[in-house]
Amino acid sequence: MDIIVCVKHVPETAEAEIKIDATGKAIEKTGLVFDINEWDDYALEEAVRIKEKFGGTVTAITVGPEDADSTLRKCLARGADKAIRLTDTRFEDSDGYAIAKILQSTIKSLPFDLILTGALAGDDGYTMVGPILAELLGISHATMVKKIELDDGVAKVNRELEGGLEEMVEVKMPMVLTVQTGINEPRYVSIMGIRKAMQKEIKVLGLADIGLSENDVGEAGSWIKIEKMFVPSVEKQAEFLKGTPEEVSAKIAEILRARGLI
Amino acid sequence: MKEIFVLAEHRQGQIRDIAFEMLTKGKELAEKTNMDLTAVLLGKDVKKHAKTLSEYAKKVLLIEDAKLENFNSEAYQKVLSNLIKEHKPLLTMIGHTSFGVDLAPSLAVDLNLPLATDCIDLEFENEALIVTRQMYGGKVNVRAKVRKSKSYIVTVRQATFAAQKPTMNGEIIETPSPLSEEITEKRFIEYVLPPPGGVDITAADVLIGIGRGIKDENNMPMVEELAKAFGGVLACSRPIVDKGWLPSDRQVGTSGKTVKPKVYIALGISGAFQHVLGMKNSDLIIAVNKDPNAPIFSFADYGIVDDLFKVVPALKGKIYELKGQKA
Ligand SMILES: Cc1cc2nc3c(=O)[nH]c(=O)nc-3n(C[C@H](O)[C@H](O)[C@H](O)COP(=O)(O)OP(=O)(O)OC[C@H]3O[C@@H](n4cnc5c(N)ncnc54)[C@H](O)[C@@H]3O)c2cc1C
Ligand SMILES: Nc1ncnc2c1ncn2[C@@H]1O[C@H](COP(=O)(O)O)[C@@H](O)[C@H]1O
């Protein structure tokens, strides 16, 4: 079983203060910590587990700058066999469609039975790269996957629906599955694993190597062009309770007592 | 006349809310741009819904086929791609739901039409489509221009546009299904229900909602004790379930439960819309987060910008003090 996992190197923003940069179209990246996209972490783990069960290879692939090597190294340390980074200044400003084209141009000449992506990327959240990649490759797909059972050329997968419901569907191989969080428990990497991964090669390819033209990638090759980024206006703002933890706790307790909740 | 298509999503015999939300937004867009609003209804035994939808649209395009009974992106893609080629709507709106995200991207590639996903607003500037979407988990919004096209596809975020009362009396047009062959690549097998849970968070008056901010499983007893002090129940955001610290029936949000307790205390939850949709109608919301810009503060009644590890023990102490008990 040859598996390809698409991984994205993204900034961690949940706890960071976000500033919009001088272009007004992107966030200020300096000072932010980058790591593997949360969903891709689960996708990689799933790929490694499938390999451990059925044999084969896992190849991690990313479209991103040189910094993204740290994410690829993490994948190698966790059990990926090969890593590919697609880097070119002309890839900048690519939306999910252009990214999928870049990935497809490379993946189409690799051997694979299964491609895993995350359900979405935590930065731009298009929720589209996986199924677009599948359509470009002419293979089937299933998104929001929470369980995978492989069996002789088909996969039975559980797709997450809303409200806790799931549906089981059968999909033919080869296919693209987009993985939802919680499908497994990603393993920790041992120091040994990281050391070994440092020695593995990361293959780097650019626009000239993948047979696409300048017009296929970047803003020119995208569906979406960002005009302006802004902080969402808040319709309502909480009343902030100020003071020491004891003081705010006393205020909360009083609010709840007044409502008969204590 | 140019049309706007709205795909009417349904599941297990019910039209889903997103369909009416999109029809409401679709109507506004259609009126502004002088277009017709068309609801597209695909399924098996769904005629009864066509009547309902006709009150929201100028036209209802109805196709019945046993192959369309349960959602299957392959079947839906074939039928929709046919309809879009034939009618050439300026815009096709699909819900940004589990169903919509399985369908829209490959449909767009198939038709070579541009797609904008998870839109929270849409407008036309002379037939050019401008969308608003969120990035970085809702911390910023972007206004984006969609590549110029004769026809666009969008997916629309749930619960973004409030559905309005029906005002129309549209025409129902039934056409035969274009699906001749069996669907072979993908097959629906069954719905899988969540395992019956031990605790019903939807029945609790006091919910303590915990998020990734609690950092480590070792901190669970601290919040359990707080819940106990309140006589309340622990609920959580998705990462807590993903990590296995609480069972899935405690999850609040789009892929979990919708709750409406008398008070919801959010501890270390950022306020991603998938979480907020499940709790924003609580009677009272109090949020503790160390990030003053966390989106949760625009849904909370009261906010505390501080370290939850300082606030939680203090709060527990105060509750017991008020109750006249020792912790
Ligand atoms: C299809 C889909 C469905 C989803 N369904 C759901 C769902 O049903 N429910 C759900 O919750 N999510 C759901 N999500 C995930 C959602 O998008 C968010 O990723 C998730 O809600 C984030 O959880 P969080 O707020 O706990 O974590 P984060 O976003 O990581 O936020 C953690 C917060 O804790 C704060 N914090 C950290 N340390 C401290 C401290 N010491 N003191 C105080 N504050 C601190 C940080 O400032 C931050 O705001 C879904 C996602 C997708 C794609
Ligand atoms: N730059 C990228 N390089 C490799 N994979 C990517 C990239 N962007 C997105 N993906 C993959 O596509 C998934 C969905 O991303 P998106 O459609 O942008 O939300 C991610 O979880 C990744 O698996």
Side-chain angles (χ1 to χ4, degrees):
Chain A
M1 182 88 53
D2 292 316
I3 308 168
I4 290 168
V5 189
C6 302
V7 295
K8 191 175 190 185
H9 188 60
V10 299
E12 285 175 3
T13 51
E15 299 186 16
E17 191 186 333
I18 301 240
K19 286 201 205 80
I20 291 163
D21 75 7
T23 67
K25 297 178 185 187
I27 62 166
E28 190 64 68
K29 304 271 169 44
T30 40
L32 293 177
V33 178
F34 280 67
D35 201 348
I36 185 169
N37 176 41
E38 189 181 350
W39 284 263
D40 305 349
D41 204 23
Y42 289 93
L44 177 78
E45 177 65 31
E46 200 61 21
V48 173
R49 288 186 188 197
I50 294 170
K51 180 186 88 167
E52 285 167 351
K53 193 161 164 199
F54 296 96
T57 61
V58 172
T59 303
I61 175 165
T62 193
V63 181
E66 201 180 333
D67 293 350
D69 276 356
S70 63
T71 279
L72 290 175
R73 296 249 175 254
K74 194 170 193 174
C75 296
L76 290 166
R78 291 244 306 266
D81 303 282
K82 289 181 213 149
I84 302 171
R85 171 160 56 80
L86 296 156
T87 306
D88 200 299
T89 50
R90 288 161 293 190
F91 294 164
E92 282 165 27
D93 298 322
S94 290
D95 71 354
Y97 175 51
I99 295 286
K101 285 188 279 184
I102 297 166
L103 289 168
Q104 189 256 348
S105 67
T106 310
I107 292 174
K108 69 170 197 252
S109 47
L110 301 174
F112 67 86
D113 304 289
L114 173 65
I115 300 171
L116 298 181
T117 74
L120 90 159
D123 53 357
D124 40 36
Y126 287 119
T127 336
M128 60 156 117
V129 169
I132 291 176
L133 177 61
E135 187 72 18
L136 293 171
L137 288 165
I139 61 177
S140 46
H141 72 268
T143 56
M144 303 274 166
V145 170
K146 288 220 65 175
K147 190 173 164 198
I148 303 174
E149 256 177 66
L150 296 173
D151 183 25
D152 203 23
V154 294
K156 279 202 178 86
V157 304
N158 283 24
R159 296 189 61 240
E160 179 180 291
L161 307 176
E162 290 79 16
L165 190 68
E166 292 179 2
E167 66 173 3
M168 190 193 274
V169 296
E170 193 179 83
V171 192
K172 274 197 188 153
M173 284 206 207
M175 68 194 143
V176 175
L177 300 178
T178 85
V179 169
Q180 179 56 301
T181 57
I183 187 174
N184 54 39
E185 230 178 282
R187 70 194 66 187
Y188 287 100
V189 200
S190 69
I191 305 284
M192 267 292 285
I194 294 176
R195 255 195 230 132
K196 266 209 232 140
M198 290 311 284
Q199 287 142 26
K200 287 194 187 163
E201 183 211 4
I202 291 175
K203 190 168 167 187
V204 181
L205 301 171
L207 185 63
D209 306 307
I210 61 173
L212 288 180
S213 89
E214 225 170 321
N215 292 327
D216 295 320
V217 302
E219 199 176 282
S222 292
W223 284 334
I224 300 290
K225 180 179 164 213
I226 294 174
E227 304 246 283
K228 193 174 114 207
M229 181 176 278
F230 55 100
V231 176
S233 60
V234 288
E235 289 139 42
K236 191 183 105 179
Q237 177 75 289
E239 179 185 334
F240 285 105
L241 304 176
K242 298 205 171 80
T244 63
E246 282 68 31
E247 285 161 1
V248 294
S249 294
K251 288 179 194 167
I252 298 177
E254 188 45 46
I255 291 163
L256 297 178
R257 199 194 52 79
R259 292 184 169 229
L261 293 166
I262 296 180
Chain B
M1 196 184 251
K2 278 266 184 193
E3 278 177 284
I4 294 180
F5 269 12
V6 169
L7 179 64
E9 179 172 338
H10 54 87
R11 175 180 302 152
Q12 294 175 307
Q14 292 237 321
I15 300 282
R16 307 195 66 226
D17 292 348
I18 181 68
F20 300 109
E21 293 160 16
M22 290 194 295
L23 285 165
T24 300
K25 182 65 188 175
K27 180 165 176 259
E28 178 201 310
L29 284 172
E31 279 166 4
K32 267 194 204 149
T33 50
N34 211 6
M35 284 189 277
D36 278 348
L37 180 63
T38 302
V40 178
L41 177 60
L42 315 177
K44 180 190 171 216
D45 300 331
V46 289
K47 264 200 191 102
K48 55 180 184 291
H49 299 311
K51 180 80 192 65
T52 314
L53 292 168
S54 69
E55 294 168 12
Y56 289 85
K58 183 91 184 281
K59 267 191 283 178
V60 180
L61 287 182
L62 168 67
I63 294 180
E64 294 216 288
D65 187 326
K67 296 187 203 74
L68 297 166
E69 177 172 13
N70 294 296
F71 170 69
N72 179 326
S73 68
E74 201 193 335
Y76 269 72
Q77 182 174 326
K78 286 191 176 139
V79 176
L80 263 182
S81 142
N82 257 308
L83 283 176
I84 292 173
K85 277 184 202 144
E86 186 190 333
H87 291 254
K88 305 186 176 61
L90 181 61
L91 176 68
T92 300
M93 297 168 81
I94 298 174
H96 194 76
T97 56
S98 201
F99 177 131
V101 301
D102 213 48
L103 167 68
S106 42
L107 175 69
V109 175
D110 184 357
L111 289 165
N112 193 17
L113 296 179
L115 164 74
T117 50
D118 201 12
C119 298
I120 58 169
D121 206 0
L122 306 166
E123 66 186 276
F124 281 103
E125 274 179 15
N126 314 315
E127 305 215 342
L129 178 64
I130 315 281
V131 301
T132 306
R133 9 185 358 268
Q134 297 202 308
M135 285 177 63
Y136 302 103
K139 282 205 159 176
V140 296
N141 285 6
V142 289
R143 241 176 92 84
K145 203 174 209 154
V146 185
R147 190 182 79 194
K148 189 94 179 76
S149 172
K150 289 196 169 64
S151 183
Y152 300 95
I153 303 177
V154 294
T155 65
V156 175
R157 181 176 287 189
Q158 301 170 71
T160 302
F161 302 108
Q164 260 139 43
K165 293 235 149 51
T167 53
M168 306 220 242
N169 184 12
E171 181 192 357
I172 298 171
I173 303 163
E174 186 171 357
T175 50
S177 169
L179 294 175
S180 45
E181 293 141 43
E182 279 304 313
I183 299 300
T184 52
E185 293 302 311
K186 210 176 196 176
R187 202 163 61 83
F188 172 88
I189 299 175
E190 60 182 359
Y191 288 110
V192 182
L193 289 161
V199 175
D200 182 7
I201 57 169
T202 64
D205 283 343
V206 179
L207 278 181
I208 313 293
I210 57 169
R212 188 156 21 208
I214 80 149
K215 290 280 181 316
D216 195 291
E217 193 168 13
N218 294 332
N219 299 320
M220 290 298 292
M222 176 188 79
V223 284
E224 271 156 14
E225 281 167 28
L226 180 67
K228 193 168 142 232
F230 274 111
V233 169
L234 275 187
C236 64
S237 66
R238 179 170 189 133
I240 304 296
V241 171
D242 287 344
K243 290 179 206 288
W245 300 350
L246 281 176
S248 63
D249 58 0
R250 304 288 186 105
Q251 185 180 315
V252 171
T254 49
S255 53
K257 299 231 162 89
T258 302
V259 297
K260 201 178 171 300
K262 293 200 170 116
V263 58
Y264 188 90
I265 304 182
L267 304 172
I269 291 177
S270 61
F273 92 97
Q274 291 101 337
H275 185 79
V276 166
L277 275 189
M279 47 65 83
K280 67 174 181 191
N281 293 325
S282 304
D283 292 351
L284 178 70
I285 299 170
I286 301 174
V288 182
N289 197 304
K290 64 177 185 189
D291 174 7
N293 298 316
I296 190 77
F297 289 128
S298 48
F299 300 92
D301 299 287
Y302 295 100
I304 293 118
V305 181
D306 205 341
D307 183 351
L308 71 90
F309 294 103
K310 293 190 186 129
V311 177
V312 169
L315 184 56
K316 190 183 79 177
K318 275 284 176 287
I319 309 266
Y320 280 122
E321 201 180 298
L322 261 183
K323 286 186 169 174
Q325 297 170 9
K326 277 244 169 327

